[in-house]
Amino acid sequence: MENAEQRAADAQVKRQEMLDFLNADAQTYRFLSQMFFKELNDEAIDALAAEEWPEDTGNAHLDRGYELLRRYFAFSGSDRRGQLAVEYARVFLAAGVFTREARTAVPYESVFTSEDRGMMGDARDDVAAHFAEDGFLVNPELHEPEDHVAFELEYLSVMSERAAKLLEEGERDAFARNVQRQIEFIEKHLLNWIGALHDAAKEYAKTTFYTGMLQVAWGALEQSLDMLRECSARC
């Protein structure tokens, strides 16, 4: 009887750990999606400047990303909003740096996974199909391809929110499918190009802010994938 009670208690602890992870993941991915979709306003920048970024997470990309963010806020000037707006345009909109010979850091998966480096390629079609299968829709009024890094991260945020709800409701099969869909998407899509996006951004960035954020995204995806795989093995 005691063993059964202990097993039940252990299962409850693991369930709560998974819920905490999923809720944290949802917040992290939504935050990162917002970082990469458009220029930041003063309120967002002030909130970031007040953050105490961790120093030892156990993930090399996260640690490097937080280090770069600490460096940016330690040495940035007074006009951070203007500086980061210019940086966003240079890095992600290729403002003033476009070249047909080099792969700029425009944030679309197709640009990094297609031979012609063009938008609206096979990756975009595959992402759109994956989104549709899971009932995730990109707002058509935004007029952006589905394989924008911000949308891919937002999809994971929504899926993590759904997974937490399914786990709380005891929907075991639906939960297991959700976890597997996230694993597949992270492996096939985001981790397939986030490193290349970071490397391209590094070529054009003048500050450490966005390269740091991309390192954070890279590390968060790796940590999430490890946890989801562990969960999948237990589901």
Side-chain angles (χ1 to χ4, degrees):
M1 185 68 174
E2 183 176 345
N3 289 338
E5 291 177 352
Q6 185 60 51
R7 286 196 297 271
D10 289 345
Q12 181 61 31
V13 169
K14 290 180 179 178
R15 178 179 176 275
Q16 188 59 52
E17 288 176 349
M18 193 64 201
L19 279 172
D20 292 344
F21 155 74
L22 290 167
N23 288 322
D25 244 19
Q27 293 179 8
T28 297
Y29 286 133
R30 194 167 300 281
F31 161 77
L32 289 168
S33 174
Q34 293 168 352
M35 290 299 103
F36 300 130
F37 186 66
K38 63 181 181 180
E39 300 91 337
L40 303 178
N41 59 29
D42 286 325
E43 183 180 1
I45 295 168
D46 289 344
L48 291 170
E51 282 284 345
E52 294 186 8
W53 308 102
E55 296 186 13
D56 186 8
T57 66
N59 179 279
H61 289 122
L62 275 175
D63 290 348
R64 178 59 174 161
Y66 291 140
E67 177 189 352
L68 292 173
L69 291 173
R70 286 194 297 271
R71 184 186 303 177
Y72 171 75
F73 286 108
F75 298 105
S76 58
S78 58
D79 183 21
R80 289 170 175 160
R81 182 175 183 177
Q83 184 183 63
L84 289 179
V86 171
E87 185 81 331
Y88 184 93
R90 179 190 300 113
V91 172
F92 296 119
L93 305 179
V97 298
F98 180 76
T99 169
R100 293 184 180 278
E101 287 70 36
R103 182 169 295 181
T104 54
V106 289
Y108 308 99
E109 183 179 348
S110 292
V111 173
F112 290 87
T113 58
S114 62
E115 291 184 4
D116 64 359
R117 303 177 182 177
M119 294 170 57
M120 305 297 285
D122 291 343
R124 176 265 170 192
D125 294 343
D126 194 62
V127 167
H130 193 105
F131 286 176
E133 188 172 343
D134 290 326
F136 174 76
L137 300 176
V138 172
N139 185 348
E141 294 182 3
L142 295 176
H143 304 293
E144 290 281 1
E146 286 82 350
D147 62 340
H148 191 296
V149 67
F151 298 150
E152 294 190 354
L153 291 165
E154 184 184 2
Y155 161 80
L156 290 176
S157 176
V158 169
M159 290 293 282
S160 291
E161 289 173 347
R162 291 179 184 173
K165 188 171 186 291
L166 290 168
L167 184 59
E168 287 183 320
E169 295 174 349
E171 298 287 344
R172 187 180 181 89
D173 291 343
F175 174 73
R177 172 172 168 74
N178 176 297
V179 168
Q180 189 57 41
R181 292 287 288 174
Q182 290 196 61
I183 290 172
E184 291 171 359
F185 192 79
I186 292 172
E187 289 179 333
K188 185 176 181 181
H189 291 287
L190 276 157
L191 281 181
N192 189 42
W193 73 288
I194 193 77
L197 177 61
H198 166 269
D199 291 348
K202 192 174 180 181
E203 289 292 317
Y204 300 103
K206 302 296 185 184
T207 77
T208 60
F209 182 83
Y210 283 111
T211 52
M213 278 296 176
L214 285 166
Q215 288 270 6
V216 170
W218 196 347
L221 288 163
E222 290 175 334
Q223 283 197 331
S224 179
L225 183 59
D226 287 343
M227 190 70 173
L228 290 167
R229 284 171 173 164
E230 181 181 337
C231 176
S232 180
R234 298 201 310 257
C235 288

